[in-house]
Amino acid sequence: MSSLLVSALRDVVGAAHVLVDADVRATYETDWLGQTHGTTPAVVRPGSAQEVAAVLGVCAAAGVAVVPQGGNTGLVGGSVPRGGAVLLSMQRCSSLSTVDTLSMQVTAGAGVTIEHLQQHARAAGLDFAVDWGARATATVGGAVNTNAGGSRVVRFGTMRAQVMGLQAVFADGSIVTQLEGLPKETAGPHLPSLLVGSEGTLAVVTAARLRLVPWFRATAAALVACDSLVDAVSLLPQLRQLPNLDAVELLMPEALAIACKFLDVRPPVAPSSAGAFVMVDCAAHHDPTDELASLLANERGVLAVGAQRDLLYRIRDHVTIAIGALGVPLKLDVAVPVQHLDRLVRRVTAAVPGDARLVIFGHLAEGNLHVNVLGAGEAAPLLRERVLEAAIELGGTISAEHGIGVAKADWLERLKGPAAYAALRAIKSALDPTNLLNPGVLYPDLPTRHDPQPRFT
Ligand SMILES: Cc1cc2nc3c(=O)[nH]c(=O)nc-3n(C[C@H](O)[C@H](O)[C@H](O)COP(=O)(O)OP(=O)(O)OC[C@H]3O[C@@H](n4cnc5c(N)ncnc54)[C@H](O)[C@@H]3O)c2cc1C
């Protein structure tokens, strides 16, 4: 079966774009965290929507599931092939249209990296608003499918707010192209919005029409040292008054210390000198330093412009990487209404075993915490349960930006409630009746002919 499948796939995309060598496949078969592993008979690299449609046709006929993959930086195991699924790498769909400065939009192929997109927009004097540490590798298709967030959500919203239209291929091979980018349209439900955050389970995204924003070149940041997380949260109303507020990030002392140690840099403020750190960034057409300086008049911390600001961002961007260098953490991405953040952290802290290391950071304005526990060992499953349970009980979510993937699929029904879960499952079943696309992600109870279980280490 496998050699017939490979030969049919080669007929569709060309032999050079069907990778079967074990060493080459290996890089696609494990996730960024090194936590989820799978195997695939072939990595297929289509170059267009038509080729994607043809690949889906071949796989459907062969009864083989398909896992779409962008940059493979996802943190919930959803981009890894499981149970012999074909791995559909979208990196060759990498075209970029000329920036339309009239509408402030651009059309990007699913495989374009976020960094490349930002550079392309900036060459035209504009910017792409969604930004995070994995920008050099993460792709437009992955960002759309996880509804990626990052540090600038407080100003510009998540990926959902940037998507003006999509081109996508459904499981039956039909291609929908809605890339006009109309800012207003109320002609029934908005199909592109339905696909945002669908984690490769409803369709394969091949291109996106994206909103661009002004490129604010004048920037200033501050690292504010707060006595406690409660004090950090209480800064928010004041921060929201800043006219050019661009990011409000949270670094708990352990996160600051770990990232600085990894980068071998001196911490801008001693991590042990505070209970929580807030990184505030302002970006404008004119120097925003004064607005931040006035904030610091009443607070402890450092003002950072130029190279100092770049260093703050390097530190922030490297927290995940620094944790990964210390081991495979239990990593949970949760959010609660900001007023409950302290309660959440107290509950998490109480649940962590004494010999494990808890590292918390996140996006303060959205009440979004990245909870990382190193060395949880056998306590990990119970700890996961406690953290996710606490987030739900406090009126929050078990995923603010990383998605559900396979790692949290067992929790989706509990989070959404039976009626909402049944509605989502019905949409999936209608659009993908054989569960061809990414089985095991989001809907673990949907039958598939393929083993959806990943191997976790
Ligand atoms: C160091 C680091 C920092 C991070 N920080 C953040 C952060 O601040 N905010 C944030 O939101 N995320 C963050 N992430 C998570 C990750 O970068 C995002 O989830 C990103 O959107 C994934 O993009 P990707 O191209 O790597 O997608 P992948 O990991 O390849 O795939 C992610 C999911 O999307 C699906 N998919 C991918 N491409 C397509 C497509 N074309 N069509 C259909 N489905 C597709 C996959 O099947 C999978 O379910 C971070 C990751 C790392 C490693």
Side-chain angles (χ1 to χ4, degrees):
M1 165 56 91
S2 186
S3 64
L4 284 178
L5 174 69
V6 167
S7 137
L9 291 169
R10 283 183 174 145
D11 286 347
V12 169
V13 295
H17 302 303
V18 180
L19 314 176
V20 293
D21 186 80
D23 290 346
V24 179
R25 283 188 284 115
T27 59
Y28 298 82
E29 290 176 332
T30 293
D31 70 341
W32 187 90
L33 284 169
Q35 193 170 43
T36 314
H37 315 273
T39 51
T40 181
V43 173
V44 185
R45 293 164 40 88
S48 66
Q50 288 69 23
E51 286 189 2
V52 169
V55 169
L56 296 190
V58 167
C59 293
V64 176
V66 176
V67 173
Q69 189 183 90
N72 199 17
T73 66
L75 300 173
V76 288
S79 54
V80 174
R82 299 165 301 275
V86 161
L87 193 284
L88 191 71
S89 170
M90 295 304 293
Q91 289 175 340
R92 274 184 68 228
C93 290
S94 56
S95 62
L96 264 174
S97 77
T98 306
V99 169
D100 179 350
T101 51
L102 207 56
S103 65
M104 289 181 63
Q105 293 177 7
V106 69
T107 300
V112 173
T113 66
I114 299 303
E115 187 169 76
H116 189 192
L117 175 63
Q118 288 167 342
Q119 288 164 351
H120 185 66
R122 286 175 190 171
L126 296 173
D127 202 2
F128 181 64
V130 182
D131 186 46
W132 71 98
R135 66 182 75 78
T137 313
T139 63
V140 166
V144 168
N145 272 277
T146 56
N147 187 22
S151 61
R152 304 181 79 191
V153 172
V154 67
R155 189 174 203 170
F156 296 113
T158 64
M159 200 66 193
R160 179 168 285 123
Q162 324 307 321
V163 173
M164 305 297 297
L166 290 178
Q167 181 183 64
V169 185
F170 288 99
D172 66 357
S174 57
I175 301 173
V176 170
T177 305
Q178 292 185 358
L179 296 171
E180 298 78 12
L182 294 177
K184 290 181 82 176
E185 196 198 20
T186 53
H190 193 233
L191 208 44
S193 300
L194 176 69
L195 299 185
V196 176
S198 64
E199 300 189 42
T201 62
L202 295 183
V204 178
V205 169
T206 49
R209 184 74 178 170
L210 297 167
R211 178 169 84 108
L212 300 176
V213 300
W215 181 19
F216 298 117
R217 297 170 178 77
T219 53
L223 189 67
V224 184
C226 303
D227 288 342
S228 66
L229 181 55
V230 173
D231 286 351
V233 171
S234 68
L235 271 182
L236 277 172
Q238 192 185 342
L239 295 178
R240 289 188 194 278
Q241 296 287 330
L242 293 171
N244 299 297
L245 183 66
D246 213 76
V248 186
E249 301 285 273
L250 174 73
L251 290 169
M252 296 304 270
E254 185 77 349
L256 179 63
I258 279 184
C260 290
K261 189 161 185 212
F262 176 82
L263 291 169
D264 197 18
V265 298
R266 201 188 144 129
V269 182
S272 59
S273 68
F277 293 90
V278 182
M279 187 183 134
V280 188
D281 194 38
C282 289
H285 290 309
H286 304 289
D287 188 359
T289 307
D290 285 351
E291 53 179 90
L292 263 185
S294 65
L295 167 83
L296 281 177
N298 302 318
E299 305 292 337
R300 277 191 303 133
V302 289
L303 194 61
V305 291
Q308 278 299 104
R309 174 190 177 267
D310 294 346
L311 176 63
L312 273 193
Y313 262 94
R314 268 186 75 216
I315 293 170
R316 168 62 187 83
D317 281 352
H318 278 80
V319 179
T320 300
I321 296 163
I323 294 168
L326 294 173
V328 178
L330 170 67
K331 182 180 277 297
L332 297 166
D333 160 47
V334 290
V336 292
V338 279
Q339 64 272 24
H340 297 321
L341 267 181
D342 186 57
R343 285 175 69 193
L344 177 66
V345 169
R346 283 176 193 281
R347 283 180 64 168
V348 171
T349 308
V352 172
D355 50 350
R357 196 168 177 189
L358 174 64
V359 187
I360 293 180
F361 66 102
H363 309 286
L364 185 67
E366 293 81 45
N368 178 192
L369 294 186
H370 298 317
V371 175
N372 297 268
V373 184
L374 286 158
E378 288 176 1
L382 185 61
L383 186 53
R384 168 194 301 269
E385 181 103 4
R386 292 269 158 80
V387 176
L388 300 185
E389 201 169 63
I392 294 175
E393 283 172 13
L394 292 168
T397 181
I398 59 170
S399 174
E401 57 178 15
H402 292 166
I404 296 293
V406 289
K408 291 184 255 184
D410 286 341
W411 282 77
L412 188 61
E413 184 169 8
R414 194 159 156 191
L415 173 73
K416 298 279 182 187
Y421 182 75
L424 291 174
R425 204 171 169 278
I427 294 170
K428 162 73 174 171
S429 298
L431 291 176
D432 182 13
T434 67
N435 204 1
L436 177 76
L437 295 173
N438 231 351
V441 167
L442 290 175
Y443 313 104
D445 54 340
L446 266 185
T448 174
R449 269 176 286 176
H450 318 282
D451 176 10
Q453 292 308 315
R455 283 188 291 120
F456 285 99
T457 53

